[in-house]
Amino acid sequence: MNNLYFIIPELFISLSVMGLLVLGVFKNNSSKIIFYFSCIIILVSLAINLNIKITETIFLFSNSYLVDQLSLFIKSIILISAFFVMLSSYNYVRVNNILKIEYPILILCSLIGMLVMISSNDLIVFYIGLELQSLALYVLASFNRDNLLSSESGLKYFVLSALSSGLLLYGCSLIYGFSNSTNFNVISQNFNFEYGVIFGMVFVIVGLAFKISAVPFHMWAPDVYQGSPTSVTVLFAILPKIAALTVFIKFLYGPFLNLFEEWQIIIIFLSVASMILGAVAAIGQKNLKRLIAYSSISHMGYALAGLTTGTNQGIQSSIIYLIIYLIMNFAFFSCLFMLKRKNKFYENIEDLSGLSKKHPLLALSFLIILFSLAGIPPLAGFFAKFYVFMAVIQKEMYFLAIVGLLA
């Protein structure tokens, strides 16, 4: 029972979700109250998480769950992001009549899944977290039922995610079969260089690559980003990416560090393919949300480039990249929420014409954010890429750095 202290944020959000469901069912027109309550719950969870002080890695529940400095840090980032996403999208949700009681509750459920994923030290716990996150996001993608694009995006995301989950589970079962355990610590100890374990690892990497929309497992991203309500697209663009990349770090640098040379080649391929396709395919886009989908594919390529180094500096550069990417995306969508006339939100590139004359400040903000996303110095996006390239060049992986620079 003493261990429960370390998982209070997860417990608090879980109990709050049940409370909000009861409130939503018994009180009429409570969607507004539940939305505000959800924001408060996220803030309280953040305060609790920041209050957890540890000096060493804490293992809970037969070593299947761990709390360390990295997981606490990433959880704080996810909770802060979720709070700002909720606040910035309130007006959009209200105007488009999708402010139902289920909307904030589903976001909270997805948050619990992400927090569980980040702290998982076992394949089964990790999978439970992943599915809890994904199931809530399937519903959110198709939340605007009156919109054909939204329903289509929810269905596409569901079908392709189910496929990726199947591959991931197959990988987990192979790893379990050849290492006799689902626990990360035991897997790294029982490690023999058997082909079954390598096959299993590859399948798990494929499943995770789907979640961060790395090429060639990116096909769902542009349609889902465009079809989902913009308030949900912000979620897709930021939160699941951070959670999945953290799991990437824990998975590759935990039980499979001994297989570094085997998985390094796969991650280099994912990184190079994502950087190139994201940059090239974005050129012909007419919709801003599709454009940002290809941008996120490209950015995930840069973040993965940091992981290919096998060094602490590489991991740090990827985490710094993620945080700057998060801020840039949040800023971009905040500007997108302001493109509104007579309660109609605009999201096509042609809708930006004449913006500098009517709203010079908004146009300037767009300019700075998009230059930063492209990595133009002296903006933050440049430094994010700079740190990654530094880590890559120190390991003498010049090919990867040159491809990234050209992309």
Side-chain angles (χ1 to χ4, degrees):
M1 291 301 286
N2 295 339
N3 292 342
L4 292 183
Y5 165 72
F6 298 105
I7 58 160
I8 291 178
E10 290 92 322
L11 288 175
F12 176 70
I13 298 177
S14 307
L15 293 170
S16 303
V17 164
M18 294 171 200
L20 290 179
L21 275 170
V22 172
L23 174 67
V25 169
F26 286 104
K27 185 169 172 27
N28 292 336
N29 304 324
S30 57
S31 49
K32 213 172 186 178
I33 300 167
I34 287 178
F35 193 92
Y36 289 132
F37 266 139
S38 301
C39 292
I40 294 165
I41 288 161
I42 293 171
L43 272 185
V44 173
S45 307
L46 175 64
I48 296 167
N49 191 63
L50 291 172
N51 203 37
I52 296 174
K53 299 284 186 287
I54 55 168
T55 50
E56 57 186 18
T57 303
I58 310 286
F59 290 98
L60 314 171
F61 311 119
S62 307
N63 288 352
S64 64
Y65 204 79
L66 68 84
V67 179
D68 58 3
Q69 300 282 8
L70 175 66
S71 60
L72 286 176
F73 175 66
I74 299 290
K75 282 178 187 177
S76 298
I77 287 174
I78 281 185
L79 289 166
I80 292 168
S81 310
F83 176 72
F84 280 116
V85 164
M86 295 271 283
L87 273 190
S88 66
S89 60
Y90 174 72
N91 197 32
Y92 178 90
V93 175
R94 187 179 53 79
V95 168
N96 285 308
N97 293 325
I98 50 174
L99 183 54
K100 311 280 194 298
I101 60 164
E102 297 90 347
Y103 179 81
I105 290 173
L106 282 165
I107 292 177
L108 290 179
C109 289
S110 177
L111 264 181
I112 300 167
M114 289 173 204
L115 300 184
V116 170
M117 257 173 82
I118 290 163
S119 279
S120 60
N121 194 42
D122 187 285
L123 290 171
I124 296 171
V125 176
F126 151 64
Y127 184 71
I128 290 169
L130 183 75
E131 282 308 298
L132 180 55
Q133 171 208 301
S134 301
L135 285 167
L137 291 176
Y138 300 151
V139 185
L140 283 169
S142 53
F143 205 80
N144 191 0
R145 286 182 304 176
D146 304 333
N147 186 335
L148 190 65
L149 274 177
S150 181
S151 306
E152 183 192 335
S153 78
L155 191 64
K156 273 183 181 167
Y157 184 53
F158 172 67
V159 171
L160 288 165
S161 253
L163 171 67
S164 78
S165 293
L167 293 171
L168 194 132
L169 271 181
Y170 181 55
C172 292
S173 62
L174 278 173
I175 293 168
Y176 171 64
F178 282 90
S179 66
N180 298 329
S181 178
T182 55
N183 189 281
F184 288 176
N185 297 359
V186 182
I187 291 169
S188 55
Q189 287 160 10
N190 292 1
F191 203 84
N192 296 318
F193 284 85
E194 296 182 37
Y195 286 117
V197 175
I198 297 172
F199 264 97
M201 180 193 70
V202 171
F203 276 113
V204 173
I205 289 174
V206 166
L208 283 171
F210 255 104
K211 299 299 173 193
I212 63 166
S213 63
V215 176
F217 312 106
H218 66 285
M219 60 288 282
W220 60 270
D223 294 330
V224 172
Y225 274 49
Q226 183 183 0
S228 305
T230 309
S231 56
V232 178
T233 307
V234 195
L235 274 178
F236 274 119
I238 298 174
L239 301 181
K241 300 272 196 291
I242 303 169
L245 252 161
T246 309
V247 173
F248 247 122
I249 294 168
K250 291 199 157 186
F251 188 75
L252 298 176
Y253 285 84
F256 294 106
L257 192 54
N258 299 337
L259 279 176
F260 174 68
E261 288 179 3
E262 279 79 1
W263 60 251
Q264 186 190 28
I265 300 162
I266 302 169
I267 304 296
I268 287 175
F269 170 74
L270 290 175
S271 172
V272 168
S274 301
M275 288 191 288
I276 293 172
L277 184 122
V280 173
I283 295 170
Q285 301 308 317
K286 293 183 171 64
N287 182 284
L288 282 167
K289 279 164 35 178
R290 279 185 88 84
L291 182 74
I292 216 72
Y294 283 109
S295 154
S296 79
I297 291 167
S298 180
H299 283 297
M300 286 304 109
Y302 289 104
L304 286 173
L307 299 189
T308 60
T309 59
T311 60
N312 271 348
Q313 192 191 350
I315 296 175
Q316 285 167 2
S317 69
S318 287
I319 291 171
I320 291 168
Y321 194 95
L322 269 184
I323 294 166
I324 294 175
Y325 161 80
L326 175 160
I327 295 164
M328 292 188 298
N329 258 347
F330 181 68
F332 175 84
F333 280 102
S334 300
C335 289
L336 202 57
F337 286 132
M338 292 182 193
L339 286 182
K340 184 180 82 163
R341 191 185 304 125
K342 293 178 182 169
N343 281 350
K344 184 178 186 301
F345 288 86
Y346 293 89
E347 52 190 52
N348 288 328
I349 292 177
E350 60 192 34
D351 298 325
L352 295 176
S353 61
L355 191 67
S356 58
K357 291 190 179 71
K358 298 273 176 66
H359 302 284
L361 257 177
L362 186 58
L364 180 67
S365 304
F366 258 124
L367 176 81
I368 293 168
I369 293 158
L370 292 171
F371 269 165
S372 184
L373 278 165
I376 306 291
L379 300 166
F382 165 73
F383 289 101
K385 291 181 170 65
F386 178 74
Y387 285 129
V388 169
F389 289 148
M390 282 288 286
V392 169
I393 287 167
Q394 278 190 349
K395 289 296 286 182
E396 298 181 358
M397 297 157 71
Y398 302 118
F399 168 72
L400 190 58
I402 290 166
V403 169
L405 214 75
L406 292 172

